[in-house]
Tab-separated table of all heavy atoms in Angstrom:
chain	number	residue	atom	x	y	z
J	10	GLU	N	118.252	85.376	98.069
J	10	GLU	CA	119.199	86.457	97.549
J	10	GLU	C	120.438	85.797	97.166
J	10	GLU	O	121.131	86.288	96.206
J	10	GLU	CB	119.407	87.515	98.666
J	10	GLU	CG	118.121	88.391	98.858
J	10	GLU	CD	118.209	89.279	100.096
J	10	GLU	OE1	119.153	89.174	100.863
J	10	GLU	OE2	117.267	90.017	100.308
J	11	GLU	N	120.928	84.727	97.854
J	11	GLU	CA	122.192	84.081	97.496
J	11	GLU	C	122.012	83.450	96.116
J	11	GLU	O	123.073	83.298	95.445
J	11	GLU	CB	122.515	83.004	98.493
J	11	GLU	CG	122.979	83.501	99.898
J	11	GLU	CD	123.168	82.448	100.911
J	11	GLU	OE1	122.978	81.208	100.608
J	11	GLU	OE2	123.486	82.733	102.020
J	12	GLN	N	120.828	83.162	95.707
J	12	GLN	CA	120.593	82.603	94.340
J	12	GLN	C	120.085	83.615	93.426
J	12	GLN	O	119.467	83.260	92.420
J	12	GLN	CB	119.672	81.467	94.440
J	12	GLN	CG	120.086	80.282	95.447
J	12	GLN	CD	119.007	79.347	95.613
J	12	GLN	OE1	118.112	79.061	94.743
J	12	GLN	NE2	118.947	78.770	96.843
J	13	SER	N	120.345	84.892	93.748
J	13	SER	CA	119.861	86.056	92.864
J	13	SER	C	118.346	86.059	92.792
J	13	SER	O	117.803	86.475	91.816
J	13	SER	CB	120.510	85.975	91.476
J	13	SER	OG	121.909	86.123	91.597
J	14	GLY	N	117.706	85.628	93.813
J	14	GLY	CA	116.271	85.644	93.943
J	14	GLY	C	115.755	86.670	94.927
J	14	GLY	O	116.462	87.430	95.430
J	15	SER	N	114.486	86.567	95.178
J	15	SER	CA	113.868	87.517	96.149
J	15	SER	C	112.600	86.922	96.838
J	15	SER	O	111.907	86.082	96.347
J	15	SER	CB	113.461	88.829	95.372
J	15	SER	OG	112.463	88.562	94.462
J	16	LEU	N	112.410	87.484	97.984
J	16	LEU	CA	111.234	87.102	98.835
J	16	LEU	C	110.362	88.326	98.974
J	16	LEU	O	110.967	89.420	99.223
J	16	LEU	CB	111.683	86.627	100.157
J	16	LEU	CG	110.628	86.238	101.185
J	16	LEU	CD1	109.832	84.995	100.726
J	16	LEU	CD2	111.123	86.068	102.568
J	17	ARG	N	109.085	88.201	98.763
J	17	ARG	CA	108.301	89.322	99.094
J	17	ARG	C	107.158	88.831	100.009
J	17	ARG	O	106.774	87.752	99.976
J	17	ARG	CB	107.647	89.972	97.846
J	17	ARG	CG	106.664	89.174	97.088
J	17	ARG	CD	106.296	89.915	95.768
J	17	ARG	NE	105.233	89.199	95.115
J	17	ARG	CZ	103.936	89.450	95.171
J	17	ARG	NH1	103.549	90.436	95.861
J	17	ARG	NH2	103.059	88.606	94.532
J	18	VAL	N	106.745	89.810	100.842
J	18	VAL	CA	105.677	89.421	101.836
J	18	VAL	C	104.426	90.078	101.377
J	18	VAL	O	104.368	91.290	100.943
J	18	VAL	CB	106.064	89.957	103.281
J	18	VAL	CG1	104.902	89.823	104.210
J	18	VAL	CG2	107.279	89.187	103.777
J	19	ILE	N	103.321	89.319	101.398
J	19	ILE	CA	102.040	89.890	101.021
J	19	ILE	C	101.024	89.802	102.094
J	19	ILE	O	101.018	88.867	102.917
J	19	ILE	CB	101.494	89.259	99.751
J	19	ILE	CG1	101.355	87.667	99.863
J	19	ILE	CG2	102.336	89.591	98.572
J	19	ILE	CD1	100.735	86.986	98.665
J	20	ASP	N	100.243	90.826	102.226
J	20	ASP	CA	99.151	90.989	103.210
J	20	ASP	C	99.455	90.654	104.686
J	20	ASP	O	98.722	89.897	105.317
J	20	ASP	CB	97.985	90.093	102.721
J	20	ASP	CG	97.412	90.413	101.314
J	20	ASP	OD1	97.523	91.616	101.045
J	20	ASP	OD2	96.891	89.604	100.671
J	21	PRO	N	100.516	91.263	105.220
J	21	PRO	CA	100.772	90.951	106.629
J	21	PRO	C	99.700	91.538	107.512
J	21	PRO	O	99.205	92.677	107.226
J	21	PRO	CB	102.124	91.621	106.865
J	21	PRO	CG	102.196	92.723	105.857
J	21	PRO	CD	101.465	92.224	104.592
J	22	THR	N	99.342	90.900	108.560
J	22	THR	CA	98.385	91.471	109.488
J	22	THR	C	99.075	92.633	110.245
J	22	THR	O	100.281	92.801	110.170
J	22	THR	CB	97.970	90.449	110.553
J	22	THR	OG1	99.150	89.915	111.212
J	22	THR	CG2	97.269	89.243	109.907
J	23	ASP	N	98.318	93.427	110.927
J	23	ASP	CA	98.900	94.564	111.628
J	23	ASP	C	99.983	94.231	112.604
J	23	ASP	O	101.010	94.877	112.550
J	23	ASP	CB	97.771	95.377	112.262
J	23	ASP	CG	96.912	96.197	111.333
J	23	ASP	OD1	97.301	96.459	110.195
J	23	ASP	OD2	95.820	96.572	111.722
J	24	PRO	N	99.786	93.209	113.385
J	24	PRO	CA	100.863	92.857	114.426
J	24	PRO	C	102.176	92.435	113.656
J	24	PRO	O	103.319	92.809	114.056
J	24	PRO	CB	100.381	91.739	115.233
J	24	PRO	CG	98.866	91.731	115.043
J	24	PRO	CD	98.605	92.427	113.695
J	25	VAL	N	102.035	91.720	112.573
J	25	VAL	CA	103.185	91.218	111.764
J	25	VAL	C	103.887	92.423	111.099
J	25	VAL	O	105.063	92.500	111.095
J	25	VAL	CB	102.762	90.098	110.835
J	25	VAL	CG1	103.850	89.773	109.890
J	25	VAL	CG2	102.263	88.890	111.567
J	26	ARG	N	103.085	93.307	110.503
J	26	ARG	CA	103.653	94.466	109.836
J	26	ARG	C	104.428	95.356	110.824
J	26	ARG	O	105.461	95.767	110.519
J	26	ARG	CB	102.480	95.278	109.230
J	26	ARG	CG	103.022	96.448	108.315
J	26	ARG	CD	101.928	97.355	107.703
J	26	ARG	NE	101.005	96.561	107.005
J	26	ARG	CZ	99.660	96.417	107.319
J	26	ARG	NH1	99.240	96.931	108.413
J	26	ARG	NH2	98.833	95.688	106.592
J	27	LEU	N	103.929	95.460	112.073
J	27	LEU	CA	104.658	96.178	112.996
J	27	LEU	C	105.958	95.573	113.329
J	27	LEU	O	107.039	96.330	113.356
J	27	LEU	CB	103.852	96.319	114.330
J	27	LEU	CG	104.420	97.094	115.482
J	27	LEU	CD1	104.712	98.511	115.077
J	27	LEU	CD2	103.542	97.019	116.716
J	28	VAL	N	105.997	94.261	113.493
J	28	VAL	CA	107.261	93.624	113.782
J	28	VAL	C	108.304	93.771	112.557
J	28	VAL	O	109.417	93.992	112.738
J	28	VAL	CB	107.084	92.080	114.101
J	28	VAL	CG1	108.424	91.308	114.172
J	28	VAL	CG2	106.303	91.988	115.400
J	29	LEU	N	107.757	93.578	111.383
J	29	LEU	CA	108.568	93.690	110.132
J	29	LEU	C	109.125	95.141	110.054
J	29	LEU	O	110.247	95.375	109.689
J	29	LEU	CB	107.807	93.409	108.874
J	29	LEU	CG	107.427	91.886	108.742
J	29	LEU	CD1	106.479	91.784	107.566
J	29	LEU	CD2	108.651	91.093	108.557
J	30	ASP	N	108.278	96.175	110.311
J	30	ASP	CA	108.703	97.557	110.286
J	30	ASP	C	109.770	97.896	111.277
J	30	ASP	O	110.750	98.573	110.940
J	30	ASP	CB	107.498	98.464	110.468
J	30	ASP	CG	106.558	98.535	109.253
J	30	ASP	OD1	106.967	98.103	108.116
J	30	ASP	OD2	105.359	98.976	109.409
J	31	LEU	N	109.504	97.501	112.592
J	31	LEU	CA	110.412	97.788	113.650
J	31	LEU	C	111.713	97.150	113.473
J	31	LEU	O	112.739	97.738	113.868
J	31	LEU	CB	109.838	97.447	115.000
J	31	LEU	CG	108.660	98.204	115.459
J	31	LEU	CD1	108.048	97.684	116.720
J	31	LEU	CD2	109.028	99.730	115.685
J	32	SER	N	111.809	96.031	112.833
J	32	SER	CA	113.016	95.263	112.686
J	32	SER	C	113.769	95.804	111.438
J	32	SER	O	115.010	95.470	111.322
J	32	SER	CB	112.745	93.777	112.381
J	32	SER	OG	112.162	93.570	111.150
J	33	GLY	N	113.147	96.542	110.580
J	33	GLY	CA	113.781	97.069	109.349
J	33	GLY	C	113.697	96.089	108.173
J	33	GLY	O	114.156	96.354	107.085
J	34	LEU	N	113.162	94.880	108.439
J	34	LEU	CA	113.038	93.844	107.425
J	34	LEU	C	112.054	94.186	106.389
J	34	LEU	O	112.183	93.819	105.225
J	34	LEU	CB	112.724	92.473	108.149
J	34	LEU	CG	112.823	91.288	107.239
J	34	LEU	CD1	114.208	91.052	106.612
J	34	LEU	CD2	112.465	90.009	107.994
J	35	ALA	N	111.029	94.988	106.709
J	35	ALA	CA	109.959	95.410	105.708
J	35	ALA	C	110.626	96.085	104.494
J	35	ALA	O	110.211	95.918	103.346
J	35	ALA	CB	108.973	96.234	106.379
J	36	GLU	N	111.620	96.937	104.761
J	36	GLU	CA	112.279	97.659	103.695
J	36	GLU	C	113.048	96.674	102.714
J	36	GLU	O	113.189	96.854	101.538
J	36	GLU	CB	113.241	98.720	104.260
J	36	GLU	CG	112.562	99.808	104.948
J	36	GLU	CD	113.550	100.799	105.503
J	36	GLU	OE1	114.684	100.839	104.961
J	36	GLU	OE2	113.172	101.566	106.421
J	37	ARG	N	113.551	95.627	103.241
J	37	ARG	CA	114.343	94.655	102.498
J	37	ARG	C	113.369	93.779	101.668
J	37	ARG	O	113.742	93.378	100.548
J	37	ARG	CB	115.074	93.673	103.439
J	37	ARG	CG	115.937	92.755	102.770
J	37	ARG	CD	116.825	92.032	103.843
J	37	ARG	NE	117.351	90.778	103.276
J	37	ARG	CZ	117.743	89.829	104.014
J	37	ARG	NH1	117.622	89.882	105.283
J	37	ARG	NH2	118.259	88.742	103.517
J	38	LEU	N	112.212	93.536	102.107
J	38	LEU	CA	111.282	92.695	101.419
J	38	LEU	C	110.381	93.528	100.515
J	38	LEU	O	109.375	94.062	100.962
J	38	LEU	CB	110.340	91.935	102.398
J	38	LEU	CG	111.160	91.023	103.362
J	38	LEU	CD1	110.313	90.428	104.431
J	38	LEU	CD2	111.972	89.968	102.742
C-alpha cells in the first residue's frame, strides 16, 4: 500500500479465513 499497490488473499482455508475475519484484515484484503 505504501507503493500504491495491493495484496489480495486467495483460497484461504477455513481456519485461516476465521483468523482473517476476526482480525478485520479480511475486509482490507
